[in-house]
Amino acid sequence: MTELELLIDFHKDAERQGPGSTADTLRALSFIDLNRNSPLKVADIGCGSGAQTIILAQNIAGRITAVDLFPEFLDRLRQKSAGLGLQDKITPLKASMEDLSFGREEYDIIWSEGAIYNIGFEKGIKYWKSFLKPGGYLALSELTWITNSRPREIEEHWNREYPEIDTASGKIRILEENGFSPAGYFPLPRSSWIDNYYEPMEERFEDFLIRHGNSEAAMRIVDAEKEEIRKYRKYKNYFSYGFYVAKKLPGE
Ligand code: SAM
């Protein structure tokens, strides 16, 4: 197995592949004015196994195209949505977020939890904007500094790993510069990282290592995740995911 295949194997049976919660998804949704006559068209980009896709399908009158690069995650979403009778509302689509076959101004809402970093925040906003109707909404969660200054270790770490990390005001400015009007922002609470993401992940370490015969590559993945958890626990007062909801201005 390649390192990428191992990573997919590690994450595919998790409830979610990043920090978040039902309450976060519903809170972000509450900033969106959903009073439309026709059913809404929604794209959930970088959906993973679709924890948030299911919540959206249960709370929106419309249809959701759920995009991910990896079929293993989409298979899990397919199973879950069939089990809940939501298969007619959710269409899984294997595609890259950087190369989408969507129509111009096709969607009312573009949703993406913990995934836009794969294309880059500003690049993703510029590219995805063309697929949104005027007056349509973008809802994104993205790594964000939640204080104006922070200890050097964590500042250097994130500047190296994800140089686009910024404070909420910096992220909102980028949205505004690209033709969006901010409709809502909140930082994800710690429970969305610890209870919903890191603790379930810690419970999978042992089984994953056994399944892969304690291979060096499997151990490298576990060690890297443990280090990420250590940094989060130590520096949780300084960064989180910010959830941003913004409306595309007419004429953009
Ligand atoms: N939204 C899910 C959640 O919050 O549980 C998944 C978040 S996970 C951190 C990021 C997701 O982006 C993964 O499912 C990964 O497969 C997907 N991804 C990475 N690169 C991608 C790309 N170029 N195009 C589409 N999806 C991609």
Side-chain angles (χ1 to χ4, degrees):
M1 258 193 196
T2 65
E3 196 121 349
L4 179 62
E5 287 167 338
L6 275 173
L7 258 178
I8 292 169
D9 181 70
F10 180 62
H11 286 284
K12 70 181 193 298
D13 292 321
E15 170 60 18
R16 45 178 67 251
Q17 285 72 40
S21 73
T22 300
D24 296 329
T25 300
L26 290 176
R27 188 170 175 194
L29 197 54
S30 75
F31 293 117
I32 295 181
D33 169 18
L34 294 171
N35 292 326
R36 304 272 162 104
N37 294 328
S38 48
L40 295 168
K41 285 198 80 171
V42 181
D44 180 8
I45 302 181
C47 62
S49 62
Q52 73 291 315
T53 323
I54 300 283
I55 309 298
L56 293 174
Q58 287 169 330
N59 288 277
I60 287 178
R63 297 175 64 99
I64 303 168
T65 304
V67 178
D68 206 277
L69 197 53
F70 300 113
E72 293 85 344
F73 294 139
L74 296 172
D75 286 344
R76 296 301 184 282
L77 171 57
R78 221 172 261 116
Q79 285 160 11
K80 280 193 278 187
S81 56
L84 293 164
L86 293 169
Q87 66 276 17
D88 294 340
K89 292 190 80 173
I90 298 174
T91 307
L93 175 69
K94 181 194 168 311
S96 170
M97 62 175 74
E98 304 198 42
D99 184 18
L100 295 162
S101 56
F102 296 165
R104 193 176 149 70
E105 300 186 354
E106 180 178 351
Y107 285 93
D108 296 286
I109 301 174
I110 292 184
W111 203 274
S112 183
E113 293 197 24
I116 195 171
Y117 71 89
N118 288 292
I119 178 172
F121 188 75
E122 185 156 18
K123 188 175 167 200
I125 287 168
K126 284 183 193 298
Y127 179 46
W128 298 350
K129 184 170 96 173
S130 61
F131 305 122
L132 265 185
K133 293 177 189 170
Y137 285 86
L138 200 53
L140 308 164
S141 66
E142 158 81 344
L143 195 68
T144 299
W145 294 126
I146 54 174
T147 55
N148 200 37
S149 61
R150 71 272 333 170
R152 186 186 293 177
E153 184 196 8
I154 198 64
E155 171 124 32
E156 288 179 353
H157 168 72
W158 281 123
N159 282 340
R160 194 170 52 244
E161 294 297 318
Y162 188 56
E164 273 194 278
I165 188 169
D166 203 346
T167 52
S169 56
K171 294 285 172 193
I172 289 170
R173 177 181 297 278
I174 290 175
L175 284 161
E176 289 171 333
E177 285 170 354
N178 285 283
F180 285 90
S181 175
Y185 159 76
F186 61 94
L188 261 55
R190 286 176 200 163
S191 57
S192 298
W193 291 77
I194 300 282
D195 306 355
N196 290 357
Y197 186 51
Y198 285 145
E199 283 183 359
M201 180 190 284
E202 286 171 325
E203 282 169 19
R204 298 197 309 276
F205 284 153
E206 194 181 335
D207 198 51
F208 172 73
L209 288 172
I210 292 171
R211 211 162 60 239
H212 295 286
N214 286 299
S215 72
E216 268 185 38
M219 282 197 276
R220 265 200 305 278
I221 286 175
V222 169
D223 288 346
E225 300 288 8
K226 283 184 176 168
E227 177 55 19
E228 186 185 305
I229 296 172
R230 182 194 74 80
K231 285 206 178 66
Y232 179 75
R233 287 188 190 279
K234 185 165 178 192
Y235 294 115
K236 55 187 177 304
N237 291 340
Y238 302 97
F239 69 92
S240 184
Y241 272 8
F243 221 128
Y244 301 87
V245 181
K247 185 173 185 169
K248 181 176 165 178
L249 295 168
E252 284 293 333

